[in-house]
Amino acid sequence: MLSTAGLLRERHLKVTPQRLAIFHMLSHTNIHPSAEMIYNSLRETHPTMSLATVYKTLDALVKAELVQQINVGEDSFRYDANITSHPHIICTCCHQVFDLEEDALPNLKALVSEKTHFKLSHEQLYFYGVCPDCQGSVH
Amino acid sequence: MLSTAGLLRERHLKVTPQRLAIFHMLSHTNIHPSAEMIYNSLRETHPTMSLATVYKTLDALVKAELVQQINVGEDSFRYDANITSHPHIICTCCHQVFDLEEDALPNLKALVSEKTHFKLSHEQLYFYGVCPDCQGSVH
DNA sequence: ATCATTGCAAATGATTTGCATTCGC
DNA sequence: GCGAATGCAAATCATTTGCAATGAT
């Protein structure tokens, strides 16, 4: 198991405090934050870090395949340190984004590639609905 | 089978040439155009129509549930007159967006709602890969 | 020492908005 | 005629870019 610094070096990315902080934050959260959310959450510990750096860092991490960008249909992207192509489920009430285990669904890739003769690379699967918590609360 | 004008009136939307043209174009294409693409394709026949009108019309049609907005991860939205929640498959080479028949996949909704106890409303399923045509062509 | 990364400010580009004019009903 | 829809221009907002200063190797 490589350290974050090791992972970065492996991809020929220089190890900077900003990159460490962003990757660390992403791998210790399950909220699938947007760039703005990452920026705000690191403001306290890294007050000089700019939003542009957050974007540039995320771009570098996505290109290095250390992080994936997900698009739940909001106005901004969200990021996930889990780079496997797993489905997500989004609560339309509280807007939380949850992971679904990769094996929660049958092997769709095989099905789709058989039907379409595409050479499939990846997929984005999003389910929308109301989470148990929000179902319970009066609105 | 209602005419386009009938469909619009049914939703209390005024029937204008712009709305007819946009809806007609959307229901006779399978390219899942963006607002910009719609605007350009209607330029000849409707030279006075503004891009803002295209956006406002699409917004009205989406709210009226006559059209759906899809988000394949590009910088702009695409639109589809097929409002059923069907999966899409996108060629990462030529950027075409294709429909998959709704029954091409097993019933995932039931599976997911059983696992998560969400009350599911809809889903967005995107598969990415290289289409047969692009596989054949040298790049 | 070199070259990538940072941080600021300015630019971009899709989409939205304000508002006077026009048009559907 | 009334109120909604159009079209223009200006505004917005996420993201990107240019560039000088800084920092990692």
Side-chain angles (χ1 to χ4, degrees):
Chain A
M1 187 66 191
L2 239 39
S3 65
T4 303
L7 284 171
L8 291 172
R9 280 202 201 88
E10 214 179 29
R11 325 277 154 130
H12 307 294
L13 292 175
K14 290 192 174 162
V15 179
T16 68
Q18 293 86 341
R19 285 175 175 175
L20 290 174
I22 291 171
F23 186 73
H24 184 265
M25 188 252 175
L26 268 174
S27 33
H28 290 264
T29 183
N30 58 353
I31 65 164
H32 304 82
S34 64
E36 191 83 38
M37 289 161 82
I38 295 169
Y39 175 66
N40 285 325
S41 113
L42 295 177
R43 250 173 189 283
E44 291 176 53
T45 49
H46 296 75
T48 66
M49 182 163 56
S50 76
L51 187 53
T53 297
V54 175
Y55 278 107
K56 285 171 185 167
T57 299
L58 288 170
D59 186 57
L61 294 175
V62 168
K63 283 193 176 120
E65 297 185 353
L66 290 173
V67 158
Q68 76 169 306
Q69 194 183 48
I70 66 175
N71 187 338
V72 300
E74 291 174 341
D75 43 7
S76 53
F77 288 106
R78 285 169 171 255
Y79 297 86
D80 192 340
N82 178 350
I83 53 168
T84 64
S85 202
H86 59 285
H88 290 96
I89 182 161
I90 298 105
C91 178
T92 52
C93 176
C94 65
H95 301 284
Q96 281 191 262
V97 179
F98 300 91
D99 293 315
L100 278 171
E101 291 88 64
E102 212 175 341
D103 55 359
L105 304 181
N107 186 351
L108 304 174
K109 232 168 177 166
L111 260 174
V112 171
S113 94
E114 192 189 329
K115 290 228 180 201
T116 63
H117 305 291
F118 264 60
K119 201 163 279 173
L120 290 179
S121 53
H122 62 288
E123 70 241 21
Q124 297 276 311
L125 309 178
Y126 301 109
F127 295 88
Y128 297 85
V130 181
C131 72
D133 274 6
C134 287
Q135 283 174 50
S137 64
V138 199
H139 33 246
Chain B
M1 186 68 191
L2 239 40
S3 65
T4 303
L7 284 172
L8 290 172
R9 280 200 202 89
E10 215 179 29
R11 324 278 153 132
H12 308 295
L13 292 176
K14 288 190 176 164
V15 179
T16 68
Q18 293 87 340
R19 285 173 175 177
L20 290 174
I22 291 172
F23 186 73
H24 184 263
M25 189 255 175
L26 268 175
S27 33
H28 290 263
T29 182
N30 57 354
I31 65 164
H32 304 81
S34 64
E36 191 84 38
M37 290 161 81
I38 295 169
Y39 175 65
N40 285 325
S41 114
L42 295 176
R43 249 173 188 286
E44 291 177 51
T45 49
H46 296 76
T48 67
M49 183 165 54
S50 76
L51 186 54
T53 298
V54 175
Y55 277 108
K56 285 171 185 166
T57 298
L58 287 170
D59 186 59
L61 293 175
V62 168
K63 284 195 175 118
E65 296 185 352
L66 291 172
V67 158
Q68 75 169 308
Q69 194 183 49
I70 67 176
N71 187 339
V72 301
E74 290 174 341
D75 44 6
S76 54
F77 288 105
R78 286 170 170 255
Y79 296 85
D80 192 341
N82 178 351
I83 53 167
T84 62
S85 202
H86 59 286
H88 290 96
I89 180 161
I90 297 105
C91 179
T92 52
C93 176
C94 65
H95 301 286
Q96 281 192 263
V97 179
F98 301 91
D99 293 315
L100 278 172
E101 292 88 63
E102 212 175 344
D103 56 359
L105 303 180
N107 185 353
L108 304 175
K109 231 168 178 165
L111 259 175
V112 171
S113 95
E114 191 188 327
K115 290 229 181 199
T116 63
H117 304 292
F118 264 61
K119 200 163 281 173
L120 290 180
S121 53
H122 61 289
E123 69 242 19
Q124 298 276 310
L125 309 178
Y126 302 108
F127 295 88
Y128 297 85
V130 181
C131 72
D133 274 6
C134 287
Q135 284 173 49
S137 63
V138 200
H139 34 245

